[in-house]
Amino acid sequence: VEPLGDEFPLEEMARIYESFNANRPLSHVRSPLCWAKATLIRLQQPERKTWGAYRGADLVAYVSVMGGKEHWTVDEACCLPGEEDAFPFLFEEVREAGPREVEFLLPHDPALSHVIEAMAGPTTSEERGHTMVRPMPGGLDEAGLRALFAAPGRQHYELDNF
């Protein structure tokens, strides 16, 4: 695990993000242009810190947080399939970096939830009012749209806010 500084491996991060969220309702589809412009600018904010986990020379997971001295928000954590074991190491880096309080704005996902609970104890979930959707093959009717918004694991990431 190492910090991702000014040189973000955007292509690798994009591949990880898309793989981790390919079937996740409400996550934003980030085009290469989106990664190069909007996402990069947000990753470069002075109050944001991002760490990557590597297997050999390959980036396999990352975590990104926003915050100040006392309170940090973990608002994006993604991994490649089969690389979920990177999350404990990434979250430990966050804890060791020194915030007194950490908030997790992440999808309810077994790959993340059990690690968060192991670090922090029991957690609570809170609904938020984001309404981004991924394109759906064949479109959606009203019943499909309602099912999408009720689906477990749905997530809109803070890095996609305008």
Side-chain angles (χ1 to χ4, degrees), residues 4-74:
L4 300 178
D6 296 329
E7 298 295 320
F8 291 95
L10 293 182
E11 287 183 20
E12 292 175 81
M13 291 175 75
R15 188 180 80 249
I16 294 166
Y17 173 89
E18 189 59 34
S19 174
F20 191 70
N21 294 294
N23 297 308
R24 186 174 313 287
L26 307 185
S27 60
H28 188 74
V29 176
R30 296 177 186 163
S31 69
L33 182 60
C34 178
W35 275 95
K37 300 292 183 186
T39 306
L40 178 61
I41 288 169
R42 293 174 182 132
L43 287 168
Q44 291 173 329
Q45 294 171 317
E47 60 275 9
R48 180 168 291 281
K49 295 174 179 22
T50 304
W51 288 269
Y54 290 84
R55 188 167 305 281
D58 298 324
L59 183 68
V60 298
Y62 69 91
V63 62
S64 192
V65 304
M66 280 290 281
K69 291 182 180 180
E70 299 291 320
H71 178 90
W72 285 11
T73 301
V74 179

Side-chain angles (χ1 to χ4, degrees), residues 11-151:
E11 287 183 20
E12 292 175 81
M13 291 175 75
R15 188 180 80 249
I16 294 166
Y17 173 89
E18 189 59 34
S19 174
F20 191 70
N21 294 294
N23 297 308
R24 186 174 313 287
L26 307 185
S27 60
H28 188 74
V29 176
R30 296 177 186 163
S31 69
L33 182 60
C34 178
W35 275 95
K37 300 292 183 186
T39 306
L40 178 61
I41 288 169
R42 293 174 182 132
L43 287 168
Q44 291 173 329
Q45 294 171 317
E47 60 275 9
R48 180 168 291 281
K49 295 174 179 22
T50 304
W51 288 269
Y54 290 84
R55 188 167 305 281
D58 298 324
L59 183 68
V60 298
Y62 69 91
V63 62
S64 192
V65 304
M66 280 290 281
K69 291 182 180 180
E70 299 291 320
H71 178 90
W72 285 11
T73 301
V74 179
D75 56 13
E76 187 157 311
C78 300
C79 72
L80 290 174
E83 299 291 350
E84 294 83 3
D85 59 341
F87 286 136
F89 298 103
L90 288 166
F91 291 162
E92 186 60 30
E93 288 294 318
V94 172
R95 181 174 27 204
E96 289 180 6
R100 191 174 60 81
E101 183 179 299
V102 178
E103 176 182 23
F104 293 91
L105 297 180
L106 298 172
H108 180 70
D109 185 299
L112 296 166
S113 299
H114 81 275
V115 177
I116 294 168
E117 289 181 3
M119 281 181 60
T123 61
T124 59
S125 295
E126 180 180 311
E127 294 295 322
R128 302 191 65 198
H130 297 298
T131 57
M132 303 286 275
V133 294
R134 291 175 91 58
M136 303 302 286
L140 287 174
D141 58 15
E142 185 175 346
L145 187 62
R146 289 185 184 279
L148 178 67
F149 276 83

